[in-house]
Short mmCIF file of all heavy atoms in Angstrom, two decimals:
data_model
loop_
_atom_site.label_atom_id
_atom_site.label_comp_id
_atom_site.label_asym_id
_atom_site.label_seq_id
_atom_site.Cartn_x
_atom_site.Cartn_y
_atom_site.Cartn_z
N GLN A 202 179.30 33.47 152.78
CA GLN A 202 180.31 34.20 153.51
C GLN A 202 179.72 34.60 154.93
O GLN A 202 178.56 35.01 154.97
CB GLN A 202 180.72 35.46 152.79
CG GLN A 202 181.49 35.19 151.54
CD GLN A 202 181.67 36.43 150.71
OE1 GLN A 202 180.79 37.31 150.70
NE2 GLN A 202 182.70 36.49 149.94
N PRO A 203 180.55 34.58 155.92
CA PRO A 203 180.09 34.99 157.24
C PRO A 203 179.89 36.47 157.34
O PRO A 203 180.67 37.21 156.65
CB PRO A 203 181.17 34.47 158.16
CG PRO A 203 182.44 34.56 157.32
CD PRO A 203 181.97 34.08 155.96
N ASN A 204 178.98 36.94 158.16
CA ASN A 204 179.04 38.33 158.52
C ASN A 204 180.30 38.61 159.35
O ASN A 204 180.91 37.68 159.88
CB ASN A 204 177.79 38.69 159.40
CG ASN A 204 176.53 38.38 158.67
OD1 ASN A 204 176.35 38.77 157.52
ND2 ASN A 204 175.59 37.70 159.31
N ILE A 205 180.71 39.82 159.32
CA ILE A 205 181.93 40.22 160.12
C ILE A 205 181.66 41.34 161.04
O ILE A 205 181.13 42.42 160.58
CB ILE A 205 183.12 40.56 159.18
CG1 ILE A 205 183.43 39.37 158.18
CG2 ILE A 205 184.38 40.97 160.00
CD1 ILE A 205 184.48 39.74 157.21
N VAL A 206 181.97 41.22 162.33
CA VAL A 206 181.83 42.27 163.31
C VAL A 206 183.23 42.57 163.87
O VAL A 206 183.82 41.64 164.50
CB VAL A 206 180.83 41.92 164.42
CG1 VAL A 206 180.80 42.98 165.50
CG2 VAL A 206 179.41 41.77 163.85
N LEU A 207 183.64 43.77 163.67
CA LEU A 207 184.96 44.17 164.19
C LEU A 207 184.71 45.01 165.44
O LEU A 207 184.12 46.12 165.33
CB LEU A 207 185.70 45.02 163.20
CG LEU A 207 187.02 45.63 163.65
CD1 LEU A 207 188.01 44.61 164.14
CD2 LEU A 207 187.66 46.43 162.45
N LEU A 208 185.08 44.54 166.59
CA LEU A 208 184.92 45.26 167.88
C LEU A 208 186.31 45.79 168.25
O LEU A 208 187.24 45.12 168.50
CB LEU A 208 184.46 44.28 168.95
CG LEU A 208 183.15 43.52 168.68
CD1 LEU A 208 182.98 42.39 169.65
CD2 LEU A 208 181.94 44.48 168.66
N MET A 209 186.34 47.17 168.23
CA MET A 209 187.65 47.81 168.44
C MET A 209 187.56 48.84 169.51
O MET A 209 186.65 49.69 169.54
CB MET A 209 188.09 48.50 167.15
CG MET A 209 189.54 49.05 167.27
SD MET A 209 190.10 49.65 165.70
CE MET A 209 191.86 49.88 166.05
N THR A 210 188.42 48.67 170.56
CA THR A 210 188.51 49.70 171.62
C THR A 210 189.69 50.52 171.35
O THR A 210 190.49 50.29 170.43
CB THR A 210 188.64 48.99 172.98
OG1 THR A 210 189.73 48.06 172.95
CG2 THR A 210 187.40 48.27 173.36
N ASP A 211 189.81 51.57 172.15
CA ASP A 211 190.95 52.57 171.97
C ASP A 211 191.79 52.66 173.20
O ASP A 211 191.25 52.96 174.27
CB ASP A 211 190.39 53.92 171.63
CG ASP A 211 191.41 54.92 171.08
OD1 ASP A 211 192.65 54.72 171.41
OD2 ASP A 211 191.08 55.89 170.41
N GLN A 212 193.00 52.29 173.07
CA GLN A 212 193.96 52.48 174.22
C GLN A 212 193.71 51.42 175.32
O GLN A 212 193.86 51.73 176.49
CB GLN A 212 193.97 53.86 174.74
CG GLN A 212 195.25 54.36 175.45
CD GLN A 212 195.32 55.87 175.56
OE1 GLN A 212 195.55 56.53 174.53
NE2 GLN A 212 195.32 56.33 176.72
N GLN A 213 193.27 50.20 174.90
CA GLN A 213 193.06 49.16 175.98
C GLN A 213 194.34 48.33 176.12
O GLN A 213 194.78 47.58 175.28
CB GLN A 213 191.89 48.25 175.47
CG GLN A 213 191.59 47.12 176.54
CD GLN A 213 190.41 46.35 176.17
OE1 GLN A 213 189.60 46.69 175.39
NE2 GLN A 213 190.29 45.15 176.78
N ARG A 214 194.87 48.35 177.36
CA ARG A 214 196.00 47.64 177.63
C ARG A 214 195.77 46.15 177.76
O ARG A 214 194.77 45.73 178.42
CB ARG A 214 196.62 48.16 178.91
CG ARG A 214 197.92 47.46 179.40
CD ARG A 214 198.55 48.35 180.41
NE ARG A 214 199.58 47.58 181.12
CZ ARG A 214 200.40 48.10 182.01
NH1 ARG A 214 200.32 49.37 182.30
NH2 ARG A 214 201.22 47.36 182.69
N ALA A 215 196.60 45.37 177.25
CA ALA A 215 196.52 43.91 177.42
C ALA A 215 196.66 43.51 178.82
O ALA A 215 197.40 44.12 179.63
CB ALA A 215 197.56 43.18 176.56
N GLY A 216 195.99 42.46 179.21
CA GLY A 216 196.09 41.86 180.56
C GLY A 216 195.10 42.41 181.59
O GLY A 216 195.20 42.08 182.75
N PHE A 217 194.13 43.18 181.13
CA PHE A 217 193.16 43.73 182.11
C PHE A 217 191.74 43.16 182.01
O PHE A 217 190.74 43.94 182.21
CB PHE A 217 193.20 45.27 182.01
CG PHE A 217 194.39 45.83 182.82
CD1 PHE A 217 195.64 45.77 182.31
CD2 PHE A 217 194.09 46.44 184.03
CE1 PHE A 217 196.69 46.27 183.02
CE2 PHE A 217 195.18 46.93 184.74
CZ PHE A 217 196.50 46.90 184.23
N THR A 218 191.67 41.96 181.51
CA THR A 218 190.42 41.23 181.58
C THR A 218 190.66 39.90 182.28
O THR A 218 191.81 39.44 182.34
CB THR A 218 189.80 40.94 180.17
OG1 THR A 218 190.68 40.02 179.43
CG2 THR A 218 189.68 42.25 179.37
N ALA A 219 189.63 39.28 182.66
CA ALA A 219 189.78 38.02 183.48
C ALA A 219 190.35 36.87 182.54
O ALA A 219 191.19 36.08 182.96
CB ALA A 219 188.46 37.49 183.96
N ALA A 220 190.00 36.93 181.27
CA ALA A 220 190.60 35.84 180.37
C ALA A 220 192.05 36.06 180.12
O ALA A 220 192.76 35.16 179.70
CB ALA A 220 189.81 35.87 179.07
N GLU A 221 192.55 37.29 180.45
CA GLU A 221 193.96 37.61 180.22
C GLU A 221 194.65 37.54 181.60
O GLU A 221 195.85 38.01 181.70
CB GLU A 221 194.14 38.95 179.60
CG GLU A 221 193.49 39.03 178.22
CD GLU A 221 193.53 40.46 177.66
OE1 GLU A 221 193.32 41.43 178.47
OE2 GLU A 221 193.78 40.69 176.51
N GLY A 222 194.02 37.10 182.62
CA GLY A 222 194.59 36.97 183.97
C GLY A 222 194.50 38.21 184.84
O GLY A 222 195.10 38.41 185.84
N GLY A 223 193.57 39.13 184.37
CA GLY A 223 193.39 40.39 185.16
C GLY A 223 192.03 40.44 185.80
O GLY A 223 191.39 39.40 185.97
N PRO A 224 191.51 41.61 186.09
CA PRO A 224 190.17 41.75 186.77
C PRO A 224 189.09 41.34 185.79
O PRO A 224 189.19 41.28 184.65
CB PRO A 224 190.09 43.24 187.07
CG PRO A 224 191.52 43.76 186.99
CD PRO A 224 192.18 42.90 186.01
N ASP A 225 187.93 41.04 186.41
CA ASP A 225 186.76 40.59 185.62
C ASP A 225 186.07 41.79 185.01
O ASP A 225 184.91 42.15 185.47
CB ASP A 225 185.84 39.78 186.46
CG ASP A 225 184.74 39.07 185.67
OD1 ASP A 225 184.93 38.98 184.47
OD2 ASP A 225 183.75 38.64 186.23
N THR A 226 186.64 42.38 184.00
CA THR A 226 186.16 43.63 183.43
C THR A 226 185.22 43.39 182.22
O THR A 226 184.32 44.17 181.98
CB THR A 226 187.25 44.53 182.97
OG1 THR A 226 188.14 43.77 182.11
CG2 THR A 226 188.07 45.07 184.13
N MET A 227 185.42 42.32 181.49
CA MET A 227 184.71 42.13 180.19
C MET A 227 184.16 40.70 180.14
O MET A 227 184.52 39.91 179.25
CB MET A 227 185.54 42.51 179.02
CG MET A 227 186.22 43.81 179.07
SD MET A 227 187.11 44.42 177.62
CE MET A 227 185.76 45.21 176.73
N PRO A 228 183.29 40.30 181.11
CA PRO A 228 182.83 38.91 181.03
C PRO A 228 182.08 38.53 179.82
O PRO A 228 182.19 37.38 179.38
CB PRO A 228 181.83 38.86 182.30
CG PRO A 228 181.49 40.26 182.58
CD PRO A 228 182.66 41.12 182.16
N ARG A 229 181.34 39.38 179.15
CA ARG A 229 180.62 39.00 177.97
C ARG A 229 181.53 38.71 176.82
O ARG A 229 181.43 37.74 176.06
CB ARG A 229 179.63 40.11 177.65
CG ARG A 229 178.58 39.72 176.59
CD ARG A 229 177.59 38.65 177.12
NE ARG A 229 176.67 38.14 176.13
CZ ARG A 229 175.49 38.68 175.84
NH1 ARG A 229 175.02 39.73 176.61
NH2 ARG A 229 174.69 38.10 174.89
N LEU A 230 182.54 39.57 176.64
CA LEU A 230 183.57 39.38 175.63
C LEU A 230 184.37 38.09 175.93
O LEU A 230 184.68 37.35 174.99
CB LEU A 230 184.40 40.59 175.47
CG LEU A 230 183.92 41.68 174.55
CD1 LEU A 230 184.73 42.93 174.70
CD2 LEU A 230 183.91 41.20 173.10
N ASP A 231 184.67 37.88 177.19
CA ASP A 231 185.46 36.69 177.52
C ASP A 231 184.64 35.43 177.19
O ASP A 231 185.23 34.46 176.66
CB ASP A 231 185.78 36.69 179.03
CG ASP A 231 186.91 37.61 179.40
OD1 ASP A 231 187.60 38.08 178.46
OD2 ASP A 231 187.12 37.91 180.58
N ARG A 232 183.33 35.44 177.43
CA ARG A 232 182.53 34.25 177.13
C ARG A 232 182.45 34.05 175.56
O ARG A 232 182.47 32.92 175.07
CB ARG A 232 181.11 34.40 177.69
CG ARG A 232 181.04 34.25 179.22
CD ARG A 232 179.67 33.93 179.64
NE ARG A 232 178.74 35.03 179.35
CZ ARG A 232 178.51 36.12 180.09
NH1 ARG A 232 179.14 36.24 181.25
NH2 ARG A 232 177.62 37.03 179.75
N LEU A 233 182.34 35.15 174.90
CA LEU A 233 182.23 35.11 173.39
C LEU A 233 183.45 34.43 172.82
O LEU A 233 183.38 33.52 172.01
CB LEU A 233 182.05 36.49 172.80
CG LEU A 233 181.99 36.59 171.27
CD1 LEU A 233 180.81 35.89 170.74
CD2 LEU A 233 182.07 38.03 170.86
N PHE A 234 184.63 34.96 173.25
CA PHE A 234 185.85 34.44 172.63
C PHE A 234 186.42 33.22 173.29
O PHE A 234 187.52 32.68 172.91
CB PHE A 234 186.89 35.58 172.66
CG PHE A 234 186.56 36.65 171.60
CD1 PHE A 234 185.99 37.87 171.99
CD2 PHE A 234 186.70 36.40 170.25
CE1 PHE A 234 185.59 38.83 171.10
CE2 PHE A 234 186.40 37.43 169.33
CZ PHE A 234 185.82 38.56 169.75
N ALA A 235 185.74 32.68 174.36
CA ALA A 235 186.13 31.40 174.88
C ALA A 235 185.92 30.33 173.80
O ALA A 235 186.58 29.33 173.86
CB ALA A 235 185.24 31.02 176.09
N ASP A 236 185.08 30.61 172.83
CA ASP A 236 184.84 29.64 171.66
C ASP A 236 185.68 30.10 170.49
O ASP A 236 185.40 29.67 169.37
CB ASP A 236 183.35 29.60 171.33
CG ASP A 236 182.51 28.99 172.38
OD1 ASP A 236 183.11 28.14 173.05
OD2 ASP A 236 181.38 29.33 172.55
N GLY A 237 186.71 30.85 170.67
CA GLY A 237 187.50 31.40 169.58
C GLY A 237 189.02 31.23 169.83
O GLY A 237 189.44 30.46 170.67
N ALA A 238 189.78 31.94 169.07
CA ALA A 238 191.24 31.92 169.17
C ALA A 238 191.70 33.19 169.76
O ALA A 238 191.46 34.34 169.25
CB ALA A 238 191.86 31.66 167.77
N ARG A 239 192.48 33.12 170.84
CA ARG A 239 193.09 34.28 171.49
C ARG A 239 194.59 34.26 171.25
O ARG A 239 195.22 33.25 171.11
CB ARG A 239 192.85 34.23 173.00
CG ARG A 239 191.40 34.64 173.43
CD ARG A 239 191.42 34.73 174.92
NE ARG A 239 190.06 35.21 175.33
CZ ARG A 239 189.76 36.52 175.48
NH1 ARG A 239 190.62 37.39 175.18
NH2 ARG A 239 188.53 36.89 175.87
N PHE A 240 195.13 35.50 171.10
CA PHE A 240 196.55 35.64 170.82
C PHE A 240 197.17 36.59 171.92
O PHE A 240 197.26 37.74 171.72
CB PHE A 240 196.74 36.28 169.45
CG PHE A 240 196.34 35.37 168.28
CD1 PHE A 240 195.00 35.37 167.85
CD2 PHE A 240 197.23 34.48 167.72
CE1 PHE A 240 194.65 34.44 166.78
CE2 PHE A 240 196.84 33.64 166.65
CZ PHE A 240 195.57 33.62 166.18
N PRO A 241 197.56 35.97 173.00
CA PRO A 241 198.09 36.76 174.13
C PRO A 241 199.35 37.52 173.83
O PRO A 241 199.78 38.39 174.62
CB PRO A 241 198.20 35.82 175.31
CG PRO A 241 198.30 34.48 174.66
CD PRO A 241 197.47 34.52 173.38
N ARG A 242 200.07 37.15 172.69
CA ARG A 242 201.31 37.80 172.34
C ARG A 242 201.15 38.58 171.12
O ARG A 242 201.95 38.62 170.20
CB ARG A 242 202.46 36.79 172.24
CG ARG A 242 202.76 35.99 173.48
CD ARG A 242 204.14 35.45 173.47
NE ARG A 242 205.12 36.50 173.74
CZ ARG A 242 206.47 36.36 173.55
NH1 ARG A 242 206.93 35.26 173.06
NH2 ARG A 242 207.27 37.33 173.79
N ALA A 243 200.01 39.37 171.02
CA ALA A 243 199.75 40.26 169.91
C ALA A 243 200.27 41.63 170.19
O ALA A 243 200.34 42.09 171.31
CB ALA A 243 198.26 40.34 169.64
#
């Protein structure tokens, strides 16, 4: 079984990272999930 890391922020509005078309606020997370599945209509 894989380890599981749940990264949860509080009150983070969608669209405010570079990967979501906004400012470059979370480059490390954007690089991490560039190899994953994003759900922009969550």
